[in-house]
Each structure stands twice: as structure tokens, then as C-alpha cells.
PDB file of all heavy atoms in Angstrom:
ATOM      1  N   ASN A  15      34.158 -25.514   4.461  1.00  0.00           N
ATOM      2  CA  ASN A  15      35.066 -24.425   4.809  1.00  0.00           C
ATOM      3  C   ASN A  15      36.327 -24.479   3.955  1.00  0.00           C
ATOM      4  O   ASN A  15      36.870 -23.452   3.533  1.00  0.00           O
ATOM      5  CB  ASN A  15      35.447 -24.507   6.287  1.00  0.00           C
ATOM      6  CG  ASN A  15      34.302 -24.112   7.193  1.00  0.00           C
ATOM      7  OD1 ASN A  15      33.364 -23.471   6.740  1.00  0.00           O
ATOM      8  ND2 ASN A  15      34.369 -24.501   8.456  1.00  0.00           N
ATOM      9  N   ALA A  16      36.785 -25.702   3.682  1.00  0.00           N
ATOM     10  CA  ALA A  16      37.989 -25.838   2.863  1.00  0.00           C
ATOM     11  C   ALA A  16      37.742 -25.319   1.450  1.00  0.00           C
ATOM     12  O   ALA A  16      38.579 -24.637   0.856  1.00  0.00           O
ATOM     13  CB  ALA A  16      38.432 -27.291   2.829  1.00  0.00           C
ATOM     14  N   SER A  17      36.585 -25.647   0.898  1.00  0.00           N
ATOM     15  CA  SER A  17      36.251 -25.180  -0.455  1.00  0.00           C
ATOM     16  C   SER A  17      36.139 -23.669  -0.492  1.00  0.00           C
ATOM     17  O   SER A  17      36.610 -23.015  -1.421  1.00  0.00           O
ATOM     18  CB  SER A  17      34.934 -25.816  -0.923  1.00  0.00           C
ATOM     19  OG  SER A  17      35.068 -27.221  -0.990  1.00  0.00           O
ATOM     20  N   ALA A  18      35.500 -23.128   0.562  1.00  0.00           N
ATOM     21  CA  ALA A  18      35.332 -21.675   0.613  1.00  0.00           C
ATOM     22  C   ALA A  18      36.674 -20.984   0.714  1.00  0.00           C
ATOM     23  O   ALA A  18      36.908 -19.934   0.119  1.00  0.00           O
ATOM     24  CB  ALA A  18      34.434 -21.297   1.795  1.00  0.00           C
ATOM     25  N   ALA A  19      37.580 -21.583   1.490  1.00  0.00           N
ATOM     26  CA  ALA A  19      38.885 -20.955   1.686  1.00  0.00           C
ATOM     27  C   ALA A  19      39.663 -20.918   0.378  1.00  0.00           C
ATOM     28  O   ALA A  19      40.465 -20.018   0.133  1.00  0.00           O
ATOM     29  CB  ALA A  19      39.680 -21.716   2.747  1.00  0.00           C
ATOM     30  N   GLY A  20      39.442 -21.919  -0.494  1.00  0.00           N
ATOM     31  CA  GLY A  20      40.197 -21.978  -1.730  1.00  0.00           C
ATOM     32  C   GLY A  20      39.564 -21.236  -2.872  1.00  0.00           C
ATOM     33  O   GLY A  20      40.121 -21.186  -3.972  1.00  0.00           O
ATOM     34  N   SER A  21      38.386 -20.652  -2.673  1.00  0.00           N
ATOM     35  CA  SER A  21      37.684 -19.977  -3.762  1.00  0.00           C
ATOM     36  C   SER A  21      37.952 -18.488  -3.744  1.00  0.00           C
ATOM     37  O   SER A  21      38.363 -17.928  -2.753  1.00  0.00           O
ATOM     38  CB  SER A  21      36.177 -20.224  -3.650  1.00  0.00           C
ATOM     39  OG  SER A  21      35.683 -19.628  -2.469  1.00  0.00           O
ATOM     40  N   THR A  22      37.691 -17.833  -4.845  1.00  0.00           N
ATOM     41  CA  THR A  22      37.824 -16.377  -4.928  1.00  0.00           C
ATOM     42  C   THR A  22      36.534 -15.812  -5.473  1.00  0.00           C
ATOM     43  O   THR A  22      35.756 -16.493  -6.143  1.00  0.00           O
ATOM     44  CB  THR A  22      38.991 -15.982  -5.865  1.00  0.00           C
ATOM     45  OG1 THR A  22      38.766 -16.560  -7.147  1.00  0.00           O
ATOM     46  CG2 THR A  22      40.323 -16.482  -5.303  1.00  0.00           C
ATOM     47  N   ALA A  23      36.290 -14.524  -5.213  1.00  0.00           N
ATOM     48  CA  ALA A  23      35.079 -13.876  -5.701  1.00  0.00           C
ATOM     49  C   ALA A  23      35.115 -13.808  -7.218  1.00  0.00           C
ATOM     50  O   ALA A  23      36.146 -13.477  -7.819  1.00  0.00           O
ATOM     51  CB  ALA A  23      34.960 -12.470  -5.115  1.00  0.00           C
ATOM     52  N   THR A  24      33.982 -14.106  -7.837  1.00  0.00           N
ATOM     53  CA  THR A  24      33.916 -14.095  -9.301  1.00  0.00           C
ATOM     54  C   THR A  24      33.214 -12.863  -9.837  1.00  0.00           C
ATOM     55  O   THR A  24      33.244 -12.613 -11.037  1.00  0.00           O
ATOM     56  CB  THR A  24      33.181 -15.349  -9.803  1.00  0.00           C
ATOM     57  OG1 THR A  24      31.878 -15.390  -9.233  1.00  0.00           O
ATOM     58  CG2 THR A  24      33.936 -16.610  -9.389  1.00  0.00           C
ATOM     59  N   LEU A  25      32.570 -12.095  -8.939  1.00  0.00           N
ATOM     60  CA  LEU A  25      31.875 -10.896  -9.395  1.00  0.00           C
ATOM     61  C   LEU A  25      32.807  -9.697  -9.310  1.00  0.00           C
ATOM     62  O   LEU A  25      33.562  -9.554  -8.349  1.00  0.00           O
ATOM     63  CB  LEU A  25      30.640 -10.635  -8.518  1.00  0.00           C
ATOM     64  CG  LEU A  25      29.515 -11.670  -8.601  1.00  0.00           C
ATOM     65  CD1 LEU A  25      28.407 -11.301  -7.616  1.00  0.00           C
ATOM     66  CD2 LEU A  25      28.949 -11.751 -10.012  1.00  0.00           C
ATOM     67  N   PRO A  26      32.769  -8.810 -10.300  1.00  0.00           N
ATOM     68  CA  PRO A  26      33.563  -7.586 -10.202  1.00  0.00           C
ATOM     69  C   PRO A  26      33.026  -6.718  -9.072  1.00  0.00           C
ATOM     70  O   PRO A  26      31.862  -6.823  -8.689  1.00  0.00           O
ATOM     71  CB  PRO A  26      33.350  -6.925 -11.570  1.00  0.00           C
ATOM     72  CG  PRO A  26      32.070  -7.507 -12.081  1.00  0.00           C
ATOM     73  CD  PRO A  26      32.016  -8.901 -11.550  1.00  0.00           C
ATOM     74  N   PRO A  27      33.860  -5.817  -8.515  1.00  0.00           N
ATOM     75  CA  PRO A  27      33.444  -4.996  -7.373  1.00  0.00           C
ATOM     76  C   PRO A  27      32.154  -4.232  -7.605  1.00  0.00           C
ATOM     77  O   PRO A  27      31.302  -4.171  -6.741  1.00  0.00           O
ATOM     78  CB  PRO A  27      34.635  -4.054  -7.175  1.00  0.00           C
ATOM     79  CG  PRO A  27      35.804  -4.802  -7.752  1.00  0.00           C
ATOM     80  CD  PRO A  27      35.253  -5.598  -8.889  1.00  0.00           C
ATOM     81  N   ALA A  28      31.979  -3.643  -8.793  1.00  0.00           N
ATOM     82  CA  ALA A  28      30.776  -2.853  -9.047  1.00  0.00           C
ATOM     83  C   ALA A  28      29.528  -3.716  -8.973  1.00  0.00           C
ATOM     84  O   ALA A  28      28.505  -3.321  -8.415  1.00  0.00           O
ATOM     85  CB  ALA A  28      30.874  -2.182 -10.413  1.00  0.00           C
ATOM     86  N   LEU A  29      29.631  -4.915  -9.518  1.00  0.00           N
ATOM     87  CA  LEU A  29      28.487  -5.804  -9.506  1.00  0.00           C
ATOM     88  C   LEU A  29      28.206  -6.303  -8.097  1.00  0.00           C
ATOM     89  O   LEU A  29      27.069  -6.484  -7.697  1.00  0.00           O
ATOM     90  CB  LEU A  29      28.735  -6.980 -10.445  1.00  0.00           C
ATOM     91  CG  LEU A  29      27.531  -7.898 -10.729  1.00  0.00           C
ATOM     92  CD1 LEU A  29      26.352  -7.087 -11.210  1.00  0.00           C
ATOM     93  CD2 LEU A  29      27.904  -8.977 -11.731  1.00  0.00           C
ATOM     94  N   THR A  30      29.278  -6.538  -7.327  1.00  0.00           N
ATOM     95  CA  THR A  30      29.110  -6.955  -5.936  1.00  0.00           C
ATOM     96  C   THR A  30      28.351  -5.884  -5.149  1.00  0.00           C
ATOM     97  O   THR A  30      27.443  -6.171  -4.387  1.00  0.00           O
ATOM     98  CB  THR A  30      30.475  -7.217  -5.285  1.00  0.00           C
ATOM     99  OG1 THR A  30      31.147  -8.211  -6.029  1.00  0.00           O
ATOM    100  CG2 THR A  30      30.318  -7.666  -3.854  1.00  0.00           C
ATOM    101  N   ALA A  31      28.719  -4.630  -5.351  1.00  0.00           N
ATOM    102  CA  ALA A  31      28.033  -3.534  -4.670  1.00  0.00           C
ATOM    103  C   ALA A  31      26.577  -3.451  -5.094  1.00  0.00           C
ATOM    104  O   ALA A  31      25.679  -3.218  -4.275  1.00  0.00           O
ATOM    105  CB  ALA A  31      28.748  -2.211  -4.961  1.00  0.00           C
ATOM    106  N   ALA A  32      26.324  -3.654  -6.367  1.00  0.00           N
ATOM    107  CA  ALA A  32      24.950  -3.620  -6.863  1.00  0.00           C
ATOM    108  C   ALA A  32      24.131  -4.754  -6.264  1.00  0.00           C
ATOM    109  O   ALA A  32      22.960  -4.583  -5.910  1.00  0.00           O
ATOM    110  CB  ALA A  32      24.937  -3.697  -8.390  1.00  0.00           C
ATOM    111  N   ALA A  33      24.765  -5.933  -6.151  1.00  0.00           N
ATOM    112  CA  ALA A  33      24.065  -7.074  -5.566  1.00  0.00           C
ATOM    113  C   ALA A  33      23.729  -6.800  -4.107  1.00  0.00           C
ATOM    114  O   ALA A  33      22.645  -7.134  -3.634  1.00  0.00           O
ATOM    115  CB  ALA A  33      24.921  -8.331  -5.692  1.00  0.00           C
ATOM    116  N   ARG A  34      24.691  -6.173  -3.417  1.00  0.00           N
ATOM    117  CA  ARG A  34      24.425  -5.841  -2.013  1.00  0.00           C
ATOM    118  C   ARG A  34      23.282  -4.844  -1.902  1.00  0.00           C
ATOM    119  O   ARG A  34      22.410  -4.970  -1.048  1.00  0.00           O
ATOM    120  CB  ARG A  34      25.689  -5.266  -1.363  1.00  0.00           C
ATOM    121  CG  ARG A  34      26.753  -6.302  -1.033  1.00  0.00           C
ATOM    122  CD  ARG A  34      27.714  -5.741   0.004  1.00  0.00           C
ATOM    123  NE  ARG A  34      28.334  -4.501  -0.456  1.00  0.00           N
ATOM    124  CZ  ARG A  34      29.480  -4.435  -1.129  1.00  0.00           C
ATOM    125  NH1 ARG A  34      30.129  -5.546  -1.441  1.00  0.00           N
ATOM    126  NH2 ARG A  34      29.971  -3.269  -1.490  1.00  0.00           N
ATOM    127  N   ALA A  35      23.261  -3.842  -2.769  1.00  0.00           N
ATOM    128  CA  ALA A  35      22.204  -2.827  -2.727  1.00  0.00           C
ATOM    129  C   ALA A  35      20.847  -3.447  -2.991  1.00  0.00           C
ATOM    130  O   ALA A  35      19.847  -3.076  -2.381  1.00  0.00           O
ATOM    131  CB  ALA A  35      22.488  -1.723  -3.741  1.00  0.00           C
ATOM    132  N   ALA A  36      20.818  -4.423  -3.904  1.00  0.00           N
ATOM    133  CA  ALA A  36      19.545  -5.077  -4.224  1.00  0.00           C
ATOM    134  C   ALA A  36      19.006  -5.863  -3.037  1.00  0.00           C
ATOM    135  O   ALA A  36      17.804  -6.084  -2.923  1.00  0.00           O
ATOM    136  CB  ALA A  36      19.738  -5.999  -5.422  1.00  0.00           C
ATOM    137  N   GLN A  37      19.908  -6.292  -2.150  1.00  0.00           N
ATOM    138  CA  GLN A  37      19.501  -7.058  -0.985  1.00  0.00           C
ATOM    139  C   GLN A  37      19.288  -6.184   0.251  1.00  0.00           C
ATOM    140  O   GLN A  37      19.017  -6.693   1.324  1.00  0.00           O
ATOM    141  CB  GLN A  37      20.558  -8.125  -0.683  1.00  0.00           C
ATOM    142  CG  GLN A  37      20.672  -9.179  -1.780  1.00  0.00           C
ATOM    143  CD  GLN A  37      21.789 -10.161  -1.506  1.00  0.00           C
ATOM    144  OE1 GLN A  37      22.529 -10.034  -0.543  1.00  0.00           O
ATOM    145  NE2 GLN A  37      21.900 -11.171  -2.361  1.00  0.00           N
ATOM    146  N   THR A  38      19.453  -4.879   0.098  1.00  0.00           N
ATOM    147  CA  THR A  38      19.294  -3.954   1.215  1.00  0.00           C
ATOM    148  C   THR A  38      17.868  -3.411   1.226  1.00  0.00           C
ATOM    149  O   THR A  38      17.496  -2.626   0.359  1.00  0.00           O
ATOM    150  CB  THR A  38      20.280  -2.775   1.104  1.00  0.00           C
ATOM    151  OG1 THR A  38      21.617  -3.287   1.061  1.00  0.00           O
ATOM    152  CG2 THR A  38      20.139  -1.844   2.292  1.00  0.00           C
ATOM    153  N   PRO A  39      17.041  -3.814   2.171  1.00  0.00           N
ATOM    154  CA  PRO A  39      15.659  -3.330   2.189  1.00  0.00           C
ATOM    155  C   PRO A  39      15.595  -1.826   2.452  1.00  0.00           C
ATOM    156  O   PRO A  39      16.448  -1.264   3.149  1.00  0.00           O
ATOM    157  CB  PRO A  39      15.026  -4.104   3.357  1.00  0.00           C
ATOM    158  CG  PRO A  39      15.957  -5.226   3.657  1.00  0.00           C
ATOM    159  CD  PRO A  39      17.318  -4.751   3.262  1.00  0.00           C
ATOM    160  N   SER A  40      14.600  -1.191   1.890  1.00  0.00           N
ATOM    161  CA  SER A  40      14.381   0.210   2.221  1.00  0.00           C
ATOM    162  C   SER A  40      13.768   0.295   3.619  1.00  0.00           C
ATOM    163  O   SER A  40      12.933  -0.520   3.999  1.00  0.00           O
ATOM    164  CB  SER A  40      13.448   0.857   1.194  1.00  0.00           C
ATOM    165  OG  SER A  40      12.191   0.205   1.165  1.00  0.00           O
ATOM    166  N   VAL A  41      14.223   1.280   4.378  1.00  0.00           N
ATOM    167  CA  VAL A  41      13.837   1.411   5.781  1.00  0.00           C
ATOM    168  C   VAL A  41      13.356   2.827   6.037  1.00  0.00           C
ATOM    169  O   VAL A  41      13.949   3.796   5.552  1.00  0.00           O
ATOM    170  CB  VAL A  41      15.027   1.090   6.714  1.00  0.00           C
ATOM    171  CG1 VAL A  41      14.671   1.381   8.167  1.00  0.00           C
ATOM    172  CG2 VAL A  41      15.458  -0.365   6.559  1.00  0.00           C
ATOM    173  N   THR A  42      12.286   2.947   6.811  1.00  0.00           N
ATOM    174  CA  THR A  42      11.852   4.244   7.310  1.00  0.00           C
ATOM    175  C   THR A  42      12.031   4.271   8.817  1.00  0.00           C
ATOM    176  O   THR A  42      11.497   3.413   9.527  1.00  0.00           O
ATOM    177  CB  THR A  42      10.383   4.528   6.965  1.00  0.00           C
ATOM    178  OG1 THR A  42      10.228   4.597   5.548  1.00  0.00           O
ATOM    179  CG2 THR A  42       9.931   5.850   7.584  1.00  0.00           C
ATOM    180  N   ALA A  43      12.824   5.224   9.294  1.00  0.00           N
ATOM    181  CA  ALA A  43      13.033   5.413  10.729  1.00  0.00           C
ATOM    182  C   ALA A  43      12.068   6.481  11.225  1.00  0.00           C
ATOM    183  O   ALA A  43      12.020   7.590  10.680  1.00  0.00           O
ATOM    184  CB  ALA A  43      14.472   5.831  11.010  1.00  0.00           C
ATOM    185  N   ILE A  44      11.297   6.150  12.251  1.00  0.00           N
ATOM    186  CA  ILE A  44      10.238   7.033  12.747  1.00  0.00           C
ATOM    187  C   ILE A  44      10.526   7.446  14.188  1.00  0.00           C
ATOM    188  O   ILE A  44      10.778   6.599  15.055  1.00  0.00           O
ATOM    189  CB  ILE A  44       8.880   6.322  12.659  1.00  0.00           C
ATOM    190  CG1 ILE A  44       8.506   6.093  11.189  1.00  0.00           C
ATOM    191  CG2 ILE A  44       7.787   7.115  13.380  1.00  0.00           C
ATOM    192  CD1 ILE A  44       7.303   5.201  10.986  1.00  0.00           C
ATOM    193  N   ILE A  45      10.482   8.749  14.419  1.00  0.00           N
ATOM    194  CA  ILE A  45      10.662   9.297  15.760  1.00  0.00           C
ATOM    195  C   ILE A  45       9.420  10.106  16.098  1.00  0.00           C
ATOM    196  O   ILE A  45       9.150  11.132  15.462  1.00  0.00           O
ATOM    197  CB  ILE A  45      11.893  10.211  15.853  1.00  0.00           C
ATOM    198  CG1 ILE A  45      13.133   9.525  15.288  1.00  0.00           C
ATOM    199  CG2 ILE A  45      12.129  10.655  17.301  1.00  0.00           C
ATOM    200  CD1 ILE A  45      14.256  10.480  14.976  1.00  0.00           C
ATOM    201  N   ALA A  46       8.643   9.650  17.056  1.00  0.00           N
ATOM    202  CA  ALA A  46       7.527  10.442  17.575  1.00  0.00           C
ATOM    203  C   ALA A  46       8.080  11.351  18.666  1.00  0.00           C
ATOM    204  O   ALA A  46       8.771  10.885  19.580  1.00  0.00           O
ATOM    205  CB  ALA A  46       6.442   9.532  18.134  1.00  0.00           C
ATOM    206  N   ALA A  47       7.791  12.644  18.562  1.00  0.00           N
ATOM    207  CA  ALA A  47       8.431  13.599  19.464  1.00  0.00           C
ATOM    208  C   ALA A  47       7.432  14.616  19.990  1.00  0.00           C
ATOM    209  O   ALA A  47       6.576  15.102  19.235  1.00  0.00           O
ATOM    210  CB  ALA A  47       9.560  14.326  18.733  1.00  0.00           C
ATOM    211  N   TYR A  48       7.576  14.936  21.255  1.00  0.00           N
ATOM    212  CA  TYR A  48       6.805  16.031  21.847  1.00  0.00           C
ATOM    213  C   TYR A  48       7.764  16.915  22.632  1.00  0.00           C
ATOM    214  O   TYR A  48       8.371  16.492  23.618  1.00  0.00           O
ATOM    215  CB  TYR A  48       5.706  15.507  22.765  1.00  0.00           C
ATOM    216  CG  TYR A  48       5.020  16.616  23.547  1.00  0.00           C
ATOM    217  CD1 TYR A  48       4.202  17.547  22.895  1.00  0.00           C
ATOM    218  CD2 TYR A  48       5.213  16.750  24.913  1.00  0.00           C
ATOM    219  CE1 TYR A  48       3.600  18.584  23.589  1.00  0.00           C
ATOM    220  CE2 TYR A  48       4.603  17.783  25.626  1.00  0.00           C
ATOM    221  CZ  TYR A  48       3.809  18.700  24.960  1.00  0.00           C
ATOM    222  OH  TYR A  48       3.213  19.731  25.652  1.00  0.00           O
ATOM    223  N   ASN A  49       7.945  18.154  22.151  1.00  0.00           N
ATOM    224  CA  ASN A  49       8.835  19.127  22.794  1.00  0.00           C
ATOM    225  C   ASN A  49      10.223  18.536  23.052  1.00  0.00           C
ATOM    226  O   ASN A  49      10.710  18.481  24.185  1.00  0.00           O
ATOM    227  CB  ASN A  49       8.217  19.641  24.094  1.00  0.00           C
ATOM    228  CG  ASN A  49       7.069  20.607  23.850  1.00  0.00           C
ATOM    229  OD1 ASN A  49       6.781  20.965  22.700  1.00  0.00           O
ATOM    230  ND2 ASN A  49       6.403  21.023  24.909  1.00  0.00           N
ATOM    231  N   GLU A  50      10.860  18.128  21.963  1.00  0.00           N
ATOM    232  CA  GLU A  50      12.178  17.494  22.039  1.00  0.00           C
ATOM    233  C   GLU A  50      13.243  18.351  21.363  1.00  0.00           C
ATOM    234  O   GLU A  50      14.178  17.838  20.744  1.00  0.00           O
ATOM    235  CB  GLU A  50      12.131  16.114  21.379  1.00  0.00           C
ATOM    236  CG  GLU A  50      11.176  15.136  22.011  1.00  0.00           C
ATOM    237  CD  GLU A  50      11.728  14.530  23.300  1.00  0.00           C
ATOM    238  OE1 GLU A  50      12.749  15.035  23.810  1.00  0.00           O
ATOM    239  OE2 GLU A  50      11.128  13.560  23.806  1.00  0.00           O
ATOM    240  N   GLN A  51      13.127  19.665  21.477  1.00  0.00           N
ATOM    241  CA  GLN A  51      14.044  20.545  20.765  1.00  0.00           C
ATOM    242  C   GLN A  51      15.506  20.352  21.170  1.00  0.00           C
ATOM    243  O   GLN A  51      16.422  20.608  20.387  1.00  0.00           O
ATOM    244  CB  GLN A  51      13.651  22.009  20.970  1.00  0.00           C
ATOM    245  CG  GLN A  51      13.751  22.505  22.397  1.00  0.00           C
ATOM    246  CD  GLN A  51      13.394  23.977  22.531  1.00  0.00           C
ATOM    247  OE1 GLN A  51      12.846  24.590  21.612  1.00  0.00           O
ATOM    248  NE2 GLN A  51      13.705  24.569  23.690  1.00  0.00           N
ATOM    249  N   GLU A  52      15.752  19.876  22.381  1.00  0.00           N
ATOM    250  CA  GLU A  52      17.123  19.721  22.845  1.00  0.00           C
ATOM    251  C   GLU A  52      17.809  18.499  22.251  1.00  0.00           C
ATOM    252  O   GLU A  52      19.040  18.467  22.161  1.00  0.00           O
ATOM    253  CB  GLU A  52      17.148  19.637  24.379  1.00  0.00           C
ATOM    254  CG  GLU A  52      16.556  20.840  25.087  1.00  0.00           C
ATOM    255  CD  GLU A  52      17.269  22.133  24.713  1.00  0.00           C
ATOM    256  OE1 GLU A  52      18.498  22.093  24.518  1.00  0.00           O
ATOM    257  OE2 GLU A  52      16.600  23.176  24.605  1.00  0.00           O
ATOM    258  N   VAL A  53      17.052  17.499  21.871  1.00  0.00           N
ATOM    259  CA  VAL A  53      17.670  16.234  21.456  1.00  0.00           C
ATOM    260  C   VAL A  53      17.314  15.804  20.036  1.00  0.00           C
ATOM    261  O   VAL A  53      17.905  14.851  19.521  1.00  0.00           O
ATOM    262  CB  VAL A  53      17.289  15.093  22.432  1.00  0.00           C
ATOM    263  CG1 VAL A  53      17.837  15.372  23.816  1.00  0.00           C
ATOM    264  CG2 VAL A  53      15.775  14.877  22.455  1.00  0.00           C
ATOM    265  N   ILE A  54      16.366  16.462  19.391  1.00  0.00           N
ATOM    266  CA  ILE A  54      15.879  15.953  18.104  1.00  0.00           C
ATOM    267  C   ILE A  54      16.947  16.039  17.008  1.00  0.00           C
ATOM    268  O   ILE A  54      17.076  15.121  16.179  1.00  0.00           O
ATOM    269  CB  ILE A  54      14.577  16.673  17.665  1.00  0.00           C
ATOM    270  CG1 ILE A  54      13.895  15.877  16.546  1.00  0.00           C
ATOM    271  CG2 ILE A  54      14.852  18.101  17.262  1.00  0.00           C
ATOM    272  CD1 ILE A  54      13.469  14.495  16.935  1.00  0.00           C
TER     273      ILE A  54
END
């Protein structure tokens, strides 16, 4: 924890965002619906 507290990020913001995106799995959200016009 002490080492972590004394360290700083070495990746530029754009690269950090890209790294996060690469670790974000693609997801499909599925809704099975029957006569749900009021809430869909």
C-alpha cells in the first residue's frame, strides 16, 4: 500500500482509456417480452 501510495500513473489518459476498453467485454442484453408495450 505504501508503494502504491507513492506511485503515479505512467500511461497517458488516452492510452488508459484504450486499455480499459480492451478489458471491457462485449455484452448482449436480452429481454424476452410478451405484450409489454407499457414497460418495454
Side-chain angles (χ1 to χ4, degrees):
N15 288 342
S17 298
S21 65
T22 57
T24 58
L25 294 177
L29 190 53
T30 302
R34 285 199 303 269
Q37 295 176 356
T38 302
S40 60
V41 174
T42 297
I44 294 170
I45 309 163
Y48 172 69
N49 286 355
E50 299 282 12
Q51 64 178 13
E52 301 302 324
V53 296
I54 195 62

